[in-house]
Amino acid sequence: MTRFALTVEYDGRPFMGWQRQDHGPSVQAAVERAAQEITGEVVAVHAAGRTDAGVHALGMRAHLDIARTITPFRLMEALNARLRPDPVAVLGCEAVPDDWHARFSCLARHYEYRIVTRRAPLTWEAGLAWRVPHDLDAVAMADAAQILVGRHDFTTFRSAHCQADSPLRTLDRLDVTAGGDRIGVFASARSFLHHQVRSMVGCLALVGQGKWSKADLEAALEAADRTALGFNAPPDGLYFLRADYPSG
């Protein structure tokens, strides 16, 4: 039995999310189906994160165990051939030790949220970014974002359906960048709560609109109450960028 680590890119628009679902297509099911067609084995694929419906990935890490003898390159090529026409691609594949786990070995997860500020509808980017039809003050958003960096009770920014044991999380990075009509929000942490990134971005957008102040964001955090949330940004603009693991 060989454990293979995958780097997976996908467009989340056709899927109910990463995790296998009874009521619709998922990225996990697509990869597992392709692996079973290649090997004849029932294969379980485990990922670094469970993205929601409509959320995308540029570098999701995942692993699977295969009994059949196959090289990483052959496996990657075969998976990509069988994943078509689903918008899922395996960018990398390598054999890893049996105790390497895409989720539990992960040291940090990195996300990007993409906002486009323009009145005109999105065309080819529809579903790939959040269109806000007016300007946002990215400087105010960047300043307010630092309130959320560090270890906090993120109950306010946590989905009511979150299954995590604790709302305590350490947010290592929350940066806001801007250029033209583009705003990017970059978040890094060892782990995130369900909807945490989208909830933080939604509240930062309120700051960017001038509807919330930095103090309002701080009050929402300190409330540790989901009813204090401004709103969730839509899934369209959220991308899982990469996951970090111990070297060697």
Side-chain angles (χ1 to χ4, degrees), residues 12 15-18 50-56 194-195 198 235 238:
F15 301 107
M16 300 301 297
W18 166 270
R50 297 177 178 179
T51 53
D52 291 331
V55 175
H56 320 290
H194 189 203
H195 285 178
R198 289 170 54 194
L238 185 57

Side-chain angles (χ1 to χ4, degrees), residues 81-207:
R82 285 162 178 79
L83 282 165
R84 292 194 294 264
D86 287 332
V88 181
V90 179
L91 306 181
C93 179
E94 59 183 317
V96 292
D98 293 344
D99 61 353
W100 189 94
H101 196 286
R103 178 184 175 191
F104 298 119
S105 301
C106 186
L107 298 177
R109 295 162 174 85
H110 306 273
Y111 286 88
E112 176 186 4
Y113 195 97
R114 299 178 181 179
I115 302 172
V116 179
T117 56
R118 74 182 201 188
R119 290 188 60 82
L122 298 178
T123 54
W124 64 271
E125 285 184 292
L128 298 175
W130 177 24
R131 180 184 70 90
V132 176
H134 46 72
D135 290 338
L136 295 174
D137 185 341
V139 174
M141 292 169 65
D143 180 49
Q146 302 317 299
I147 290 290
L148 302 177
V149 175
R151 187 163 181 80
H152 303 288
D153 180 333
F154 281 100
T155 296
T156 300
F157 304 91
R158 174 187 191 180
S159 166
H161 304 291
C162 182
Q163 298 178 352
D165 293 335
S166 169
L168 293 175
R169 288 293 184 274
T170 300
L171 185 62
D172 297 316
R173 176 193 185 198
L174 190 62
D175 294 338
V176 179
T177 64
D181 62 359
R182 309 280 159 158
I183 293 177
V185 182
F186 297 86
S188 300
R190 187 180 186 100
S191 63
F192 290 89
L193 300 167
H194 189 203
H195 285 178
Q196 183 181 343
V197 176
R198 289 170 54 194
S199 295
M200 294 189 301
V201 170
C203 290
L204 288 176
L206 292 176
V207 174

